[in-house]
Amino acid sequence: MHEAEDELMNTWAIIPLYYYNDVYMQKTDVENIYSNLFGFKYFGFAKTPDNTLSLQIASEPNKLDPALNSTVDGACLAILAFSGLYAYDAEGELVPELAESYEMSEDGLTYTFTLREGLKWSDGEELNAEDVVYSWNRLVTPETGADYSYLADIIARKDDDTLDIAGSGNTFTVKLKAPCAYFLDLCAFPAFYPVPQQCVEAAEGAEENPGAWCVESGFVTSGPMTCTEWKHNESMTYEKNPNYFRADEVSLEKVQFMLSSDDTAIWNAFEDGSLQFIDTIATDMMATAKEKEEYHNIPNLGTYYAGFNVNSDLFKGKTVQQAADMRKAINLLIDRQYIVDTIAQADQEVANTFIPTGMADGNGGEFRTNDDAYTYPMEDVVGYFDPNAYEENLEEARKLLEGAGYKFDENGMLSADTPINMTYLTNDAEGNVKIGESIQQDLAAVGINVTVETREWSVFLDERKQGKFDFCREGWLADYNDPINMLEMWETESGNNDMQFGR
């Protein structure tokens, strides 16, 4: 795995900035909202004085179909509306959800799940093992176009290239290619949640848009809540699903989401009591927020980073090594500590690796460490560069750019004869824009001209996926605690390969 991260970082298309933690505000009379290391938030079992919950987690969601979603806010909405074979509890431990139990063969290749009796969709129709078979095969069907289809690569295939899975009644069987320590984590991951075949295939426009069945309120669900109203770019309302198998444990009658990226408006709504939970804190209010009892700062397992489109015209005419050197130079020019101290402001750790601090190594230890088996290129800082060696980094950056064909004047600024002009693409949330502007200022220190371009959330996601950028804002929260999750996403055909490797 370390060799794979070495190969990734040697491209310098990935520019790690800091390791994630999760900050949010929650009213003191709201209880039982919980999260896990992967950024999933569970709102369905929250308790409030009047059994309603008003909150903000993001702006307009991009996809609500669990198989098509690739965002953290979308995952939180999927968790509220759907159920998987497994789930995470308040302690972050895996627990049975739709499944009641499972058995694993001695060789670790075959899992047989027993689903609970009497499971239903929100419309009252039976939910059974056949629904799981349909949904998992749908995840990997090319026509679905799921970004996360590669997560199912651990499952064996039949001769017709469908997954080697079977379901009848309440029995669901899976055969793996090789033993997989994180398989149950996948069973709790939203992309593997069952969806209702009868609704998916009957939706108008389903042939062109596989997610057409859930682009408006009223779609069929299986979890604690169901979406009853959706005012696009404004609000969403979810109400209790009486057919959820744990409905007697759900005290909430209604959950209302504010869909916004206006950090100031979000903060004001929390302050005046209109919102009881917010997942965004305005940069200029962070110091104030930290002093409040409602402030929460919890661990996450992931990395906030920026990334280059390796096919950008920015690298036209350069050799592979020259392009990598250009990207490394830009990496070295960024002042991460300034970003953490003045913009993010949540005591994040600056990053010099893609795999974050705290990620398990699969052998009972932590991945990001020097040991007898592996030592990072810069041993003393446990990473690929020293983010705090500004003067040394500045000198190396100029040398790298000179080697790539760029000239500097006597003041150490790029010559007008060899300019570098590029765009930085980000969504329009205040903190992300300010990070883009900070990078813009850092690169201007040697004469690199950066234009920060902002898009609303869903447009940003689409343009980033299509490679319509030079340099862009990125972030990845692990889907499960294994480094492969943050490395396999860069395979050529991966739906999360935003940097366009191999394309």
Side-chain angles (χ1 to χ4, degrees):
M1 292 296 181
H2 280 292
E3 291 179 1
E5 188 183 22
D6 287 347
E7 184 175 348
L8 175 68
M9 289 300 300
N10 284 338
T11 71
W12 295 101
I14 303 300
I15 309 299
L17 299 179
Y18 60 77
Y19 304 123
Y20 273 118
N21 50 15
D22 192 5
V23 296
Y24 59 88
M25 303 293 289
Q26 179 179 317
K27 295 295 186 184
T28 56
D29 60 359
V30 175
E31 300 176 351
N32 214 38
I33 291 174
Y34 60 91
S35 181
N36 62 19
L37 287 172
F38 317 123
F40 297 172
K41 290 188 173 68
Y42 289 75
F43 299 110
F45 301 99
K47 297 184 183 298
T48 67
D50 62 355
N51 293 329
T52 64
L53 177 63
S54 298
L55 69 156
Q56 175 275 339
I57 56 172
S59 53
E60 176 80 0
N62 190 39
K63 299 282 194 307
L64 290 190
D65 186 324
L68 298 179
N69 170 67
S70 59
T71 65
V72 176
D73 60 291
C76 294
L77 292 171
I79 288 166
L80 185 64
F82 297 93
S83 295
L85 294 178
Y86 267 66
Y88 293 96
D89 64 14
E91 284 70 48
E93 299 296 328
L94 283 166
V95 293
E97 176 74 349
L98 296 179
E100 189 173 58
S101 62
Y102 78 93
E103 294 181 358
M104 182 180 69
S105 60
E106 288 187 11
D107 60 7
L109 297 180
T110 302
Y111 285 74
T112 301
F113 295 89
T114 299
L115 274 61
R116 300 178 189 277
E117 297 285 350
L119 294 173
K120 294 181 180 180
W121 296 103
S122 59
D123 62 357
E125 293 294 318
E126 179 186 9
L127 192 169
N128 56 36
E130 285 90 341
D131 294 307
V132 185
V133 172
Y134 165 76
S135 301
W136 285 30
N137 273 320
R138 175 177 180 262
L139 173 65
V140 301
T141 300
E143 289 75 16
T144 303
D147 290 344
Y148 275 119
S149 61
Y150 62 88
L151 290 181
D153 287 349
I154 63 164
I155 301 174
R157 298 279 183 135
K158 297 179 180 178
D159 291 340
D160 62 1
D161 207 35
T162 60
L163 298 177
D164 196 349
I165 57 180
S168 177
N170 68 337
T171 301
F172 175 64
T173 302
V174 185
K175 293 185 179 180
L176 306 182
K177 294 177 180 177
C180 178
Y182 56 83
F183 177 63
L184 289 182
D185 292 89
L186 295 183
C187 294
F189 189 67
F192 289 86
Y193 288 0
V195 293
Q197 180 176 2
Q198 66 276 15
C199 300
V200 172
E201 297 181 349
E204 183 178 353
E207 290 186 4
E208 296 77 26
N209 176 15
W213 65 282
C214 55
V215 295
E216 300 292 344
S217 61
F219 54 91
V220 172
T221 66
S222 60
M225 297 279 168
T226 190
C227 182
T228 56
E229 184 179 57
W230 187 356
K231 297 179 181 178
H232 292 282
N233 297 297
E234 181 181 336
S235 65
M236 299 180 80
T237 300
Y238 284 71
E239 296 185 25
K240 182 175 179 177
N241 172 16
N243 286 317
Y244 177 51
F245 77 96
R246 296 173 62 190
D248 60 341
E249 301 175 45
V250 178
S251 63
L252 288 176
E253 294 296 332
K254 185 178 293 186
V255 179
Q256 296 174 307
F257 290 90
M258 175 184 181
L259 303 179
S260 176
S261 60
D262 185 335
D263 290 356
T264 300
I266 293 164
W267 175 264
N268 290 338
F270 183 79
E271 285 286 87
D272 69 22
S274 301
L275 294 176
Q276 298 157 287
F277 178 103
I278 60 174
D279 215 18
T280 301
I281 302 174
T283 298
D284 58 0
M285 296 309 301
M286 185 63 78
T288 300
K290 288 181 176 181
E291 299 299 320
K292 292 179 175 288
E293 189 178 358
E294 296 102 330
Y295 176 77
H296 295 260
N297 187 331
I298 62 175
N300 267 165
L301 196 59
T303 304
Y304 187 108
Y305 64 104
F308 284 98
N309 174 2
V310 296
N311 295 323
S312 166
D313 287 344
L314 185 64
F315 309 114
K316 191 173 183 179
K318 304 298 181 184
T319 67
V320 171
Q321 187 59 55
Q322 286 176 325
D325 287 346
M326 287 174 63
R327 296 188 289 263
K328 182 178 182 180
I330 290 169
N331 170 83
L332 293 173
L333 292 169
I334 296 173
D335 187 345
R336 291 157 173 80
Q337 197 62 55
Y338 177 85
I339 289 172
V340 167
D341 291 344
T342 65
I343 303 173
Q345 298 184 58
D347 306 313
Q348 292 93 345
E349 179 185 359
V350 296
N352 62 357
T353 63
F354 182 56
I355 306 298
T357 296
M359 178 73 80
D361 66 0
N363 298 306
E366 184 177 340
F367 186 83
R368 186 177 172 256
T369 56
N370 296 314
D371 55 31
D372 293 341
Y374 179 84
T375 301
Y376 278 91
M378 295 197 72
E379 181 178 3
D380 56 335
V381 292
V382 195
Y384 294 90
F385 58 95
D386 184 348
N388 297 311
Y390 182 75
E391 293 301 327
E392 294 89 339
N393 288 345
L394 181 61
E395 182 180 354
E396 183 180 355
R398 289 196 180 104
K399 289 180 179 179
L400 288 167
L401 290 173
E402 287 175 341
Y406 293 93
K407 300 176 182 178
F408 289 85
D409 62 22
E410 63 276 9
N411 297 315
M413 301 293 286
L414 272 175
S415 167
D417 296 332
T418 57
I420 297 178
N421 300 299
M422 64 182 183
T423 61
Y424 181 83
L425 181 68
T426 180
N427 61 301
D428 55 4
E430 177 192 17
N432 293 318
V433 175
K434 287 188 174 182
I435 288 174
E437 292 170 347
S438 178
I439 293 172
Q440 180 185 53
Q441 293 174 6
D442 289 339
L443 302 194
V446 297
I448 297 174
N449 180 50
V450 179
T451 300
V452 178
E453 295 188 352
T454 64
R455 303 284 189 272
E456 66 90 15
W457 183 232
S458 59
V459 175
F460 165 71
L461 293 174
D462 289 340
E463 290 193 7
R464 187 174 68 177
K465 190 175 302 297
Q466 294 167 26
K468 295 181 178 179
F469 62 89
D470 298 322
F471 193 31
C472 74
R473 174 253 160 168
E474 288 276 5
W476 189 260
L477 283 168
D479 304 317
Y480 49 88
N481 194 356
D482 192 290
I484 188 63
N485 177 245
M486 299 187 70
L487 296 170
E488 66 182 349
M489 62 191 281
W490 301 117
E491 293 179 352
T492 300
E493 298 305 319
S494 165
N496 293 312
N497 178 16
D498 293 340
M499 276 52 270
Q500 314 298 311
F501 290 121
R503 296 180 179 176

